[in-house]
Amino acid sequence: MRRRLPLHNNKWVRRLHAWAGLLTLTLMLLYGLTGLWLQHRAVLPLPGPHTEQGSETLPLAAPLADVDALRTLLRQRYPQAGEEGRVRLTPPQTLPTPEGSLTLPARWELRMLDLRHSLMATYVAGTLEVRVETQQANLAASLNRLHRGMGTGLGWQLFGDLAALALLLLALTSLFMWTKLHGPGRVGLILLLAGASGTLLFALWG
């Protein structure tokens, strides 16, 4: 009768561990370097994130009809603005004043963002101008956005999902191979609990 190999001795577990490590190698190096850079930029002589801010007022020949018109205007004026972020619509509001009721018109806010550029456009319904605030990020700020997944496209998000799955495979295969490579399971369990407890403590009170 053929004897079955234990799971930690299975060559496919080791292969999955190696493949997942290769897949996430560049991403983990990127996250590690940007994390160290951002975490210690106040202590080490490293340039920190910085954005050049600007503002502009766009005159209009006629009031904008809807948010789509505002979006089209911004795309024409700022083709490098990046993907569209959140859109905030504030409906008209009626407020009491000593002279009677005051009605504030609707307000539209639209944000566009990529790794290097971002803008926030504000338009008050019925008026003839759009106020735009722009930001241009330096290399450190761009890496910060990349680290946090801000201003990235669908491709980076899908790659991040694949990398997250690969990290899960790394963790699971590491558990399976522990006994074979580093000693008894009791020691591994103790180290696992110690690492989990330390992570929670630093996350909550660090």
Side-chain angles (χ1 to χ4, degrees):
M1 183 175 180
R2 188 175 179 179
R3 188 178 176 186
R4 296 184 61 185
L5 293 175
L7 188 57
H8 61 249
N9 208 24
N10 193 315
K11 64 179 182 180
W12 286 107
V13 175
R14 298 195 297 271
R15 287 181 179 179
L16 282 175
H17 188 84
W19 292 339
L22 288 176
L23 178 63
T24 58
L25 177 62
T26 303
L27 183 65
M28 290 301 100
L29 287 175
L30 177 63
Y31 269 90
L33 291 175
T34 54
L36 288 174
W37 188 345
L38 298 172
Q39 184 76 11
H40 300 287
R41 64 182 183 273
V43 179
L44 300 177
L46 298 173
H50 175 73
T51 55
E52 295 183 5
Q53 300 185 2
S55 61
E56 185 178 5
T57 299
L58 305 180
L60 302 174
L64 297 177
D66 50 27
V67 179
D68 290 334
L70 175 61
R71 185 180 294 110
T72 301
L73 174 66
L74 295 176
R75 287 295 183 189
Q76 295 174 352
R77 181 66 179 84
Y78 305 98
Q80 79 286 358
E83 67 177 11
E84 180 180 333
R86 61 181 177 85
V87 178
R88 182 178 179 182
L89 304 178
T90 303
Q93 299 179 1
T94 300
L95 303 176
T97 68
E99 289 77 19
S101 298
L102 175 65
T103 300
L104 301 178
R107 181 187 180 94
W108 309 340
E109 293 181 355
L110 191 149
R111 185 180 184 184
M112 295 182 176
L113 177 69
D114 64 10
L115 292 178
R116 294 296 306 275
H117 309 89
S118 63
L119 67 83
M120 172 69 76
T122 304
Y123 176 70
V124 177
T127 63
L128 296 177
E129 67 177 23
V130 177
R131 296 182 178 180
V132 181
E133 296 180 356
T134 60
Q135 293 183 348
Q136 185 170 357
N138 66 351
L139 177 61
S142 297
L143 290 176
N144 185 17
R145 292 179 179 180
L146 187 63
H147 185 90
R148 299 164 59 187
M150 297 175 56
T152 57
L154 180 61
W156 179 260
Q157 296 174 11
L158 292 176
F159 179 70
D161 292 339
L162 290 175
L165 293 175
L167 286 175
L168 291 175
L169 284 176
L170 273 176
L172 292 175
T173 52
S174 296
L175 287 175
F176 289 143
M177 293 190 300
W178 167 263
T179 304
K180 180 66 176 179
L181 297 178
H182 292 286
R186 182 179 299 177
V187 177
L189 180 60
I190 294 175
L191 291 176
L192 178 62
L193 293 177
S197 301
T199 301
L200 290 176
L201 288 176
F202 280 113
L204 296 176
W205 295 287

